[in-house]
Structures are given as structure tokens and as C-alpha cells.
Short mmCIF file of all heavy atoms in Angstrom, two decimals:
data_model
loop_
_atom_site.label_atom_id
_atom_site.label_comp_id
_atom_site.label_asym_id
_atom_site.label_seq_id
_atom_site.Cartn_x
_atom_site.Cartn_y
_atom_site.Cartn_z
N MET G 293 19.70 93.13 39.13
CA MET G 293 19.86 94.50 39.60
C MET G 293 20.24 94.50 41.07
O MET G 293 21.06 95.31 41.49
CB MET G 293 18.56 95.26 39.37
CG MET G 293 18.58 96.67 39.83
SD MET G 293 19.06 97.72 38.46
CE MET G 293 18.76 99.29 39.15
N ASP G 294 19.67 93.58 41.86
CA ASP G 294 19.98 93.55 43.29
C ASP G 294 21.45 93.20 43.53
O ASP G 294 22.07 93.74 44.44
CB ASP G 294 19.09 92.54 44.01
CG ASP G 294 17.64 93.02 44.11
OD1 ASP G 294 17.45 94.25 44.09
OD2 ASP G 294 16.74 92.16 44.22
N SER G 295 22.00 92.29 42.73
CA SER G 295 23.39 91.92 42.92
C SER G 295 24.32 93.09 42.57
O SER G 295 25.36 93.27 43.20
CB SER G 295 23.75 90.69 42.09
OG SER G 295 23.63 90.98 40.72
N ALA G 296 23.94 93.89 41.59
CA ALA G 296 24.75 95.06 41.22
C ALA G 296 24.75 96.07 42.36
O ALA G 296 25.79 96.66 42.68
CB ALA G 296 24.24 95.69 39.94
N VAL G 297 23.59 96.26 42.98
CA VAL G 297 23.49 97.20 44.11
C VAL G 297 24.30 96.66 45.28
O VAL G 297 25.04 97.40 45.95
CB VAL G 297 22.01 97.42 44.50
CG1 VAL G 297 21.91 98.21 45.80
CG2 VAL G 297 21.28 98.13 43.38
N ASN G 298 24.17 95.37 45.55
CA ASN G 298 24.92 94.76 46.66
C ASN G 298 26.43 94.87 46.42
O ASN G 298 27.19 95.15 47.35
CB ASN G 298 24.53 93.29 46.84
CG ASN G 298 23.14 93.14 47.44
OD1 ASN G 298 22.64 94.06 48.08
ND2 ASN G 298 22.53 91.98 47.23
N ASN G 299 26.86 94.64 45.19
CA ASN G 299 28.28 94.77 44.86
C ASN G 299 28.76 96.20 45.04
O ASN G 299 29.87 96.44 45.54
CB ASN G 299 28.55 94.28 43.44
CG ASN G 299 28.42 92.79 43.30
OD1 ASN G 299 28.51 92.05 44.28
ND2 ASN G 299 28.20 92.33 42.07
N ALA G 300 27.95 97.15 44.63
CA ALA G 300 28.32 98.56 44.78
C ALA G 300 28.40 98.95 46.25
O ALA G 300 29.33 99.65 46.67
CB ALA G 300 27.30 99.45 44.06
N VAL G 301 27.46 98.47 47.05
CA VAL G 301 27.48 98.76 48.49
C VAL G 301 28.70 98.11 49.13
O VAL G 301 29.39 98.71 49.96
CB VAL G 301 26.17 98.30 49.16
CG1 VAL G 301 26.28 98.36 50.68
CG2 VAL G 301 25.00 99.15 48.68
N SER G 302 28.98 96.87 48.76
CA SER G 302 30.15 96.18 49.31
C SER G 302 31.44 96.89 48.94
O SER G 302 32.34 97.04 49.78
CB SER G 302 30.19 94.74 48.80
OG SER G 302 29.09 94.01 49.28
N ALA G 303 31.53 97.33 47.72
CA ALA G 303 32.73 98.05 47.28
C ALA G 303 32.87 99.37 48.03
O ALA G 303 33.96 99.76 48.45
CB ALA G 303 32.67 98.30 45.78
N SER G 304 31.75 100.05 48.23
CA SER G 304 31.77 101.31 48.96
C SER G 304 32.20 101.10 50.41
O SER G 304 33.00 101.87 50.95
CB SER G 304 30.39 101.96 48.91
OG SER G 304 30.35 103.12 49.70
N MET G 305 31.68 100.06 51.04
CA MET G 305 32.05 99.77 52.43
C MET G 305 33.54 99.40 52.53
O MET G 305 34.23 99.82 53.46
CB MET G 305 31.19 98.64 52.98
CG MET G 305 29.72 98.98 53.11
SD MET G 305 29.41 100.32 54.25
CE MET G 305 29.78 99.52 55.80
N ALA G 306 34.04 98.65 51.57
CA ALA G 306 35.46 98.27 51.57
C ALA G 306 36.34 99.51 51.42
O ALA G 306 37.37 99.63 52.09
CB ALA G 306 35.73 97.27 50.46
N LEU G 307 35.93 100.43 50.56
CA LEU G 307 36.70 101.66 50.37
C LEU G 307 36.68 102.52 51.63
O LEU G 307 37.69 103.13 51.99
CB LEU G 307 36.16 102.45 49.19
CG LEU G 307 36.47 101.87 47.80
CD1 LEU G 307 35.73 102.66 46.72
CD2 LEU G 307 37.96 101.88 47.55
N GLN G 308 35.54 102.56 52.33
CA GLN G 308 35.45 103.33 53.57
C GLN G 308 36.36 102.72 54.64
O GLN G 308 37.03 103.45 55.38
CB GLN G 308 34.01 103.38 54.07
CG GLN G 308 33.12 104.31 53.28
CD GLN G 308 31.68 104.29 53.77
OE1 GLN G 308 31.29 103.44 54.55
NE2 GLN G 308 30.89 105.24 53.29
N GLN G 309 36.40 101.40 54.72
CA GLN G 309 37.27 100.74 55.69
C GLN G 309 38.74 101.00 55.35
O GLN G 309 39.56 101.23 56.24
CB GLN G 309 36.98 99.25 55.74
CG GLN G 309 35.65 98.91 56.39
CD GLN G 309 35.33 97.43 56.32
OE1 GLN G 309 35.97 96.68 55.61
NE2 GLN G 309 34.31 97.01 57.07
N ALA G 310 39.08 100.94 54.08
CA ALA G 310 40.46 101.20 53.66
C ALA G 310 40.85 102.64 53.98
O ALA G 310 41.97 102.90 54.44
CB ALA G 310 40.61 100.92 52.17
N GLN G 311 39.92 103.56 53.75
CA GLN G 311 40.21 104.96 54.04
C GLN G 311 40.40 105.17 55.54
O GLN G 311 41.30 105.90 55.96
CB GLN G 311 39.08 105.85 53.53
CG GLN G 311 39.34 107.33 53.72
CD GLN G 311 38.20 108.20 53.22
OE1 GLN G 311 37.10 107.72 52.98
NE2 GLN G 311 38.46 109.48 53.07
N ALA G 312 39.58 104.54 56.37
CA ALA G 312 39.73 104.66 57.82
C ALA G 312 41.07 104.10 58.27
O ALA G 312 41.75 104.67 59.13
CB ALA G 312 38.58 103.94 58.52
N SER G 313 41.48 102.99 57.69
CA SER G 313 42.76 102.39 58.02
C SER G 313 43.90 103.32 57.62
O SER G 313 44.86 103.50 58.39
CB SER G 313 42.90 101.04 57.32
OG SER G 313 44.18 100.49 57.53
N GLN G 314 43.83 103.91 56.45
CA GLN G 314 44.88 104.82 56.00
C GLN G 314 44.94 106.06 56.89
O GLN G 314 46.03 106.57 57.18
CB GLN G 314 44.64 105.22 54.55
CG GLN G 314 44.98 104.13 53.56
CD GLN G 314 44.70 104.54 52.12
OE1 GLN G 314 44.00 105.53 51.87
NE2 GLN G 314 45.25 103.79 51.18
N GLN G 315 43.80 106.54 57.32
CA GLN G 315 43.79 107.71 58.19
C GLN G 315 44.43 107.39 59.54
O GLN G 315 45.16 108.22 60.09
CB GLN G 315 42.36 108.23 58.39
CG GLN G 315 41.81 108.95 57.19
CD GLN G 315 40.36 109.39 57.37
OE1 GLN G 315 39.67 108.92 58.27
NE2 GLN G 315 39.92 110.29 56.50
N ALA G 316 44.18 106.20 60.06
CA ALA G 316 44.80 105.79 61.31
C ALA G 316 46.31 105.68 61.14
O ALA G 316 47.09 106.13 62.00
CB ALA G 316 44.21 104.47 61.79
N GLN G 317 46.76 105.09 60.04
CA GLN G 317 48.19 104.97 59.78
C GLN G 317 48.84 106.34 59.63
O GLN G 317 49.94 106.58 60.13
CB GLN G 317 48.43 104.13 58.53
CG GLN G 317 48.10 102.67 58.70
CD GLN G 317 48.20 101.90 57.39
OE1 GLN G 317 48.40 102.47 56.33
NE2 GLN G 317 48.06 100.59 57.46
N LEU G 318 48.17 107.25 58.96
CA LEU G 318 48.70 108.59 58.77
C LEU G 318 48.80 109.32 60.11
O LEU G 318 49.77 110.04 60.36
CB LEU G 318 47.81 109.38 57.81
CG LEU G 318 48.29 110.78 57.44
CD1 LEU G 318 49.65 110.74 56.77
CD2 LEU G 318 47.28 111.45 56.52
N SER G 319 47.84 109.11 60.97
CA SER G 319 47.87 109.73 62.29
C SER G 319 49.07 109.23 63.10
O SER G 319 49.78 110.03 63.73
CB SER G 319 46.57 109.43 63.04
OG SER G 319 46.63 109.93 64.35
N VAL G 320 49.31 107.94 63.07
CA VAL G 320 50.46 107.38 63.78
C VAL G 320 51.76 107.91 63.18
O VAL G 320 52.70 108.26 63.90
CB VAL G 320 50.42 105.83 63.75
CG1 VAL G 320 51.71 105.24 64.26
CG2 VAL G 320 49.24 105.33 64.55
N PHE G 321 51.82 108.00 61.86
CA PHE G 321 53.01 108.52 61.18
C PHE G 321 53.28 109.96 61.58
O PHE G 321 54.42 110.35 61.85
CB PHE G 321 52.82 108.38 59.67
CG PHE G 321 53.99 108.83 58.86
CD1 PHE G 321 55.20 108.17 58.92
CD2 PHE G 321 53.88 109.93 58.02
CE1 PHE G 321 56.29 108.59 58.17
CE2 PHE G 321 54.96 110.35 57.26
CZ PHE G 321 56.16 109.68 57.34
N LYS G 322 52.22 110.78 61.62
CA LYS G 322 52.38 112.18 62.02
C LYS G 322 52.87 112.29 63.45
O LYS G 322 53.71 113.13 63.76
CB LYS G 322 51.06 112.94 61.85
CG LYS G 322 50.74 113.26 60.41
CD LYS G 322 49.43 114.04 60.32
CE LYS G 322 49.10 114.38 58.88
NZ LYS G 322 47.82 115.13 58.78
N GLN G 323 52.36 111.44 64.34
CA GLN G 323 52.81 111.45 65.74
C GLN G 323 54.29 111.09 65.82
O GLN G 323 55.05 111.69 66.59
CB GLN G 323 51.98 110.50 66.59
CG GLN G 323 50.57 110.97 66.82
CD GLN G 323 49.73 109.94 67.55
OE1 GLN G 323 50.16 108.81 67.79
NE2 GLN G 323 48.52 110.31 67.93
N ALA G 324 54.71 110.12 65.03
CA ALA G 324 56.12 109.72 65.02
C ALA G 324 57.00 110.86 64.51
O ALA G 324 58.07 111.13 65.07
CB ALA G 324 56.31 108.48 64.16
N LEU G 325 56.55 111.54 63.46
CA LEU G 325 57.32 112.68 62.94
C LEU G 325 57.39 113.81 63.95
O LEU G 325 58.44 114.46 64.10
CB LEU G 325 56.70 113.18 61.63
CG LEU G 325 56.93 112.32 60.40
CD1 LEU G 325 56.22 112.93 59.20
CD2 LEU G 325 58.40 112.14 60.11
N ASP G 326 56.30 114.07 64.65
CA ASP G 326 56.31 115.12 65.67
C ASP G 326 57.28 114.77 66.80
O ASP G 326 57.98 115.65 67.31
CB ASP G 326 54.90 115.34 66.22
CG ASP G 326 53.96 116.00 65.23
OD1 ASP G 326 54.45 116.58 64.24
OD2 ASP G 326 52.73 115.91 65.43
N GLY G 327 57.33 113.50 67.17
CA GLY G 327 58.27 113.07 68.19
C GLY G 327 59.71 113.24 67.74
O GLY G 327 60.56 113.71 68.50
N GLN G 328 59.98 112.91 66.49
CA GLN G 328 61.33 113.09 65.95
C GLN G 328 61.69 114.57 65.89
O GLN G 328 62.83 114.96 66.16
CB GLN G 328 61.43 112.46 64.57
CG GLN G 328 61.46 110.95 64.61
CD GLN G 328 61.58 110.35 63.22
OE1 GLN G 328 61.58 111.06 62.21
NE2 GLN G 328 61.69 109.04 63.15
N GLU G 329 60.71 115.39 65.54
CA GLU G 329 60.96 116.83 65.47
C GLU G 329 61.36 117.36 66.84
O GLU G 329 62.30 118.16 66.96
CB GLU G 329 59.71 117.55 64.97
CG GLU G 329 59.85 119.06 64.93
CD GLU G 329 58.54 119.76 64.58
OE1 GLU G 329 57.48 119.13 64.61
OE2 GLU G 329 58.63 120.96 64.28
N ALA G 330 60.69 116.90 67.88
CA ALA G 330 61.01 117.34 69.24
C ALA G 330 62.41 116.90 69.64
O ALA G 330 63.17 117.67 70.24
CB ALA G 330 59.97 116.81 70.22
N HIS G 331 62.77 115.66 69.31
CA HIS G 331 64.10 115.16 69.65
C HIS G 331 65.19 115.95 68.90
O HIS G 331 66.22 116.30 69.48
CB HIS G 331 64.23 113.68 69.33
CG HIS G 331 63.48 112.80 70.27
ND1 HIS G 331 63.77 112.71 71.61
CD2 HIS G 331 62.43 111.97 70.07
CE1 HIS G 331 62.94 111.86 72.19
NE2 HIS G 331 62.11 111.41 71.27
N ILE G 332 64.96 116.21 67.63
CA ILE G 332 65.95 116.95 66.84
C ILE G 332 66.08 118.39 67.37
O ILE G 332 67.18 118.93 67.45
CB ILE G 332 65.58 116.92 65.35
CG1 ILE G 332 65.79 115.50 64.82
CG2 ILE G 332 66.39 117.93 64.56
CD1 ILE G 332 65.29 115.29 63.42
N ALA G 333 64.96 118.98 67.74
CA ALA G 333 65.02 120.34 68.29
C ALA G 333 65.82 120.36 69.58
O ALA G 333 66.63 121.27 69.80
CB ALA G 333 63.60 120.87 68.53
N ASP G 334 65.64 119.36 70.44
CA ASP G 334 66.42 119.27 71.68
C ASP G 334 67.90 119.11 71.38
O ASP G 334 68.75 119.73 72.02
CB ASP G 334 65.93 118.11 72.55
CG ASP G 334 64.56 118.36 73.14
OD1 ASP G 334 64.12 119.53 73.18
OD2 ASP G 334 63.92 117.37 73.57
N LEU G 335 68.22 118.26 70.39
CA LEU G 335 69.62 118.07 70.02
C LEU G 335 70.24 119.35 69.47
O LEU G 335 71.38 119.70 69.79
CB LEU G 335 69.76 116.96 68.98
CG LEU G 335 69.60 115.54 69.49
CD1 LEU G 335 69.58 114.57 68.31
CD2 LEU G 335 70.73 115.18 70.43
N MET G 336 69.50 120.06 68.64
CA MET G 336 70.01 121.29 68.05
C MET G 336 70.24 122.36 69.13
O MET G 336 71.20 123.12 69.05
CB MET G 336 69.05 121.82 66.99
CG MET G 336 68.92 120.93 65.77
SD MET G 336 70.45 120.73 64.86
CE MET G 336 70.59 122.35 64.13
N GLU G 337 69.38 122.39 70.13
CA GLU G 337 69.55 123.36 71.21
C GLU G 337 70.74 123.01 72.09
O GLU G 337 71.37 123.90 72.67
CB GLU G 337 68.28 123.44 72.05
CG GLU G 337 67.13 124.13 71.35
CD GLU G 337 65.85 124.14 72.18
OE1 GLU G 337 65.91 123.76 73.37
OE2 GLU G 337 64.81 124.53 71.63
N SER G 338 71.05 121.73 72.21
CA SER G 338 72.14 121.32 73.08
C SER G 338 73.51 121.54 72.46
O SER G 338 74.52 121.56 73.15
CB SER G 338 71.99 119.85 73.46
OG SER G 338 72.22 119.02 72.34
N VAL G 339 73.57 121.73 71.14
CA VAL G 339 74.84 121.95 70.46
C VAL G 339 75.22 123.42 70.60
O VAL G 339 74.43 124.30 70.31
CB VAL G 339 74.73 121.56 68.98
CG1 VAL G 339 76.01 121.91 68.24
CG2 VAL G 339 74.40 120.10 68.84
N SER G 340 76.45 123.66 71.05
CA SER G 340 76.90 125.05 71.16
C SER G 340 77.34 125.54 69.79
O SER G 340 77.92 124.80 68.99
CB SER G 340 78.04 125.16 72.16
OG SER G 340 79.17 124.46 71.69
N LEU G 341 77.10 126.79 69.54
CA LEU G 341 77.45 127.37 68.25
C LEU G 341 78.92 127.76 68.18
O LEU G 341 79.52 127.78 67.12
CB LEU G 341 76.57 128.58 67.96
CG LEU G 341 75.08 128.28 67.83
CD1 LEU G 341 74.31 129.59 67.62
CD2 LEU G 341 74.84 127.36 66.66
N GLU G 342 79.51 128.12 69.31
CA GLU G 342 80.91 128.51 69.36
C GLU G 342 81.77 127.30 69.69
O GLU G 342 81.44 126.53 70.59
CB GLU G 342 81.11 129.59 70.43
CG GLU G 342 80.40 130.89 70.12
CD GLU G 342 80.96 131.57 68.88
OE1 GLU G 342 82.18 131.55 68.68
OE2 GLU G 342 80.15 132.13 68.11
N PRO G 343 82.87 127.09 68.98
CA PRO G 343 83.75 125.97 69.30
C PRO G 343 84.39 126.18 70.67
O PRO G 343 84.75 127.29 71.03
CB PRO G 343 84.78 125.98 68.18
CG PRO G 343 84.75 127.35 67.63
CD PRO G 343 83.36 127.87 67.86
N GLN G 344 84.51 125.10 71.41
CA GLN G 344 85.12 125.16 72.73
C GLN G 344 86.63 124.94 72.58
O GLN G 344 87.06 123.93 72.04
CB GLN G 344 84.52 124.10 73.64
CG GLN G 344 83.02 124.25 73.85
CD GLN G 344 82.67 125.56 74.54
OE1 GLN G 344 83.33 125.97 75.48
NE2 GLN G 344 81.64 126.22 74.05
N LEU G 345 87.39 125.90 73.02
CA LEU G 345 88.84 125.81 72.92
C LEU G 345 89.41 125.13 74.15
O LEU G 345 88.83 125.20 75.23
CB LEU G 345 89.44 127.20 72.76
CG LEU G 345 88.94 128.01 71.56
CD1 LEU G 345 89.56 129.41 71.56
CD2 LEU G 345 89.26 127.29 70.26
N ALA G 346 90.54 124.50 73.96
CA ALA G 346 91.21 123.84 75.07
C ALA G 346 91.71 124.90 76.06
O ALA G 346 92.16 125.97 75.68
CB ALA G 346 92.37 123.01 74.57
N THR G 347 91.60 124.60 77.34
CA THR G 347 92.05 125.54 78.37
C THR G 347 93.26 125.03 79.13
O THR G 347 93.86 125.76 79.90
CB THR G 347 90.91 125.82 79.37
OG1 THR G 347 90.48 124.59 79.94
CG2 THR G 347 89.75 126.51 78.68
N SER G 348 93.61 123.76 78.93
CA SER G 348 94.80 123.22 79.60
C SER G 348 95.47 122.22 78.67
O SER G 348 94.87 121.73 77.72
CB SER G 348 94.40 122.54 80.91
OG SER G 348 93.55 121.44 80.65
N GLY G 349 96.73 121.92 78.95
CA GLY G 349 97.46 120.99 78.12
C GLY G 349 98.32 121.70 77.11
O GLY G 349 98.38 122.94 77.06
N THR G 350 98.99 120.90 76.27
CA THR G 350 99.92 121.50 75.30
C THR G 350 99.32 121.63 73.91
O THR G 350 99.91 122.26 73.05
CB THR G 350 101.20 120.64 75.21
OG1 THR G 350 100.82 119.32 74.82
CG2 THR G 350 101.93 120.59 76.53
N ILE G 351 98.16 121.05 73.68
CA ILE G 351 97.56 121.11 72.36
C ILE G 351 96.33 121.99 72.40
O ILE G 351 95.42 121.80 73.22
CB ILE G 351 97.17 119.70 71.85
CG1 ILE G 351 98.42 118.84 71.73
CG2 ILE G 351 96.44 119.78 70.52
CD1 ILE G 351 98.16 117.42 71.35
N GLY G 352 96.30 123.00 71.56
CA GLY G 352 95.13 123.84 71.41
C GLY G 352 95.06 125.01 72.37
O GLY G 352 94.10 125.76 72.34
N THR G 353 96.05 125.14 73.25
CA THR G 353 95.99 126.26 74.18
C THR G 353 96.71 127.49 73.67
O THR G 353 96.43 128.60 74.10
CB THR G 353 96.60 125.85 75.55
OG1 THR G 353 97.93 125.40 75.34
CG2 THR G 353 95.77 124.76 76.19
N GLN G 354 97.65 127.31 72.75
CA GLN G 354 98.41 128.44 72.22
C GLN G 354 97.82 128.95 70.91
O GLN G 354 97.77 130.15 70.67
CB GLN G 354 99.88 128.04 72.01
CG GLN G 354 100.56 127.52 73.25
CD GLN G 354 100.59 128.56 74.37
OE1 GLN G 354 100.83 129.73 74.13
NE2 GLN G 354 100.33 128.11 75.60
N ILE G 355 97.38 128.03 70.07
CA ILE G 355 96.83 128.39 68.76
C ILE G 355 95.49 127.67 68.62
O ILE G 355 95.35 126.50 68.99
CB ILE G 355 97.76 127.93 67.61
CG1 ILE G 355 99.11 128.65 67.72
CG2 ILE G 355 97.13 128.20 66.26
CD1 ILE G 355 100.14 128.16 66.73
N ASN G 356 94.51 128.35 68.06
CA ASN G 356 93.21 127.75 67.84
C ASN G 356 93.36 126.73 66.71
O ASN G 356 93.48 127.10 65.55
CB ASN G 356 92.17 128.81 67.50
CG ASN G 356 90.79 128.22 67.31
OD1 ASN G 356 90.62 127.02 67.44
ND2 ASN G 356 89.83 129.07 67.02
N THR G 357 93.34 125.43 67.04
CA THR G 357 93.55 124.40 66.05
C THR G 357 92.25 123.79 65.55
O THR G 357 92.28 122.85 64.78
CB THR G 357 94.45 123.28 66.61
OG1 THR G 357 93.81 122.75 67.78
CG2 THR G 357 95.81 123.81 66.95
N THR G 358 91.12 124.29 65.99
CA THR G 358 89.86 123.74 65.50
C THR G 358 89.58 124.27 64.11
O THR G 358 89.94 125.40 63.78
CB THR G 358 88.69 124.09 66.44
OG1 THR G 358 88.60 125.51 66.55
CG2 THR G 358 88.89 123.49 67.82
N ALA G 359 88.98 123.45 63.31
CA ALA G 359 88.70 123.85 61.93
C ALA G 359 87.23 124.09 61.76
O ALA G 359 86.40 123.54 62.40
CB ALA G 359 89.16 122.78 60.96
#
């Protein structure tokens, strides 16, 4: 009976350690995703919505050639 209790306690402790490890990994993963979200938001804000037309030269100044 004592060995069964010891095995159950050992299994429980191993599961708790595995859960703590997974929680730490998930936390790091969430931080990485949050960092990527911030970078993507900065990139999206830096992109202009209106196409920039040429103001000098012979191409694109007479007719809007952007698609």
C-alpha cells in the first residue's frame, strides 16, 4: 500500500512540474505574440492608404499608372 501511495504522489508531483513548465512556455509564447502584434501594428500604421503618384519625370505624371 505504501508503494502505491508513493507512486501516486510521485505521479502527482511530476504532473505539477509538467504543468508549471507548460505555463512558463505559454507565457513566453504569449509575450512573443504580443511583441509581433506591436510590430505589425507599427507596420500597418506606417503604410499609407492612398497611392503616391509621381510628381516629376515622364512616367506616371500624366496618367495614373498605379494599379
Side-chain angles (χ1 to χ4, degrees):
M293 179 93 171
D294 289 334
S295 64
V297 171
N298 288 338
N299 289 339
V301 170
S302 295
S304 175
M305 295 297 290
L307 288 173
Q308 286 178 348
Q309 289 175 348
Q311 184 181 15
S313 175
Q314 285 178 345
Q315 285 177 344
Q317 290 173 354
L318 184 60
S319 175
V320 170
F321 182 66
K322 285 181 179 179
Q323 289 174 353
L325 286 178
D326 289 343
Q328 287 181 356
E329 177 186 14
H331 288 296
I332 290 172
D334 290 342
L335 285 173
M336 294 297 288
E337 288 177 9
S338 70
V339 174
S340 65
L341 297 177
E342 295 295 321
Q344 300 297 318
L345 302 177
T347 57
S348 63
T350 58
I351 298 176
T353 57
Q354 303 300 318
I355 298 173
N356 182 0
T357 58
T358 58

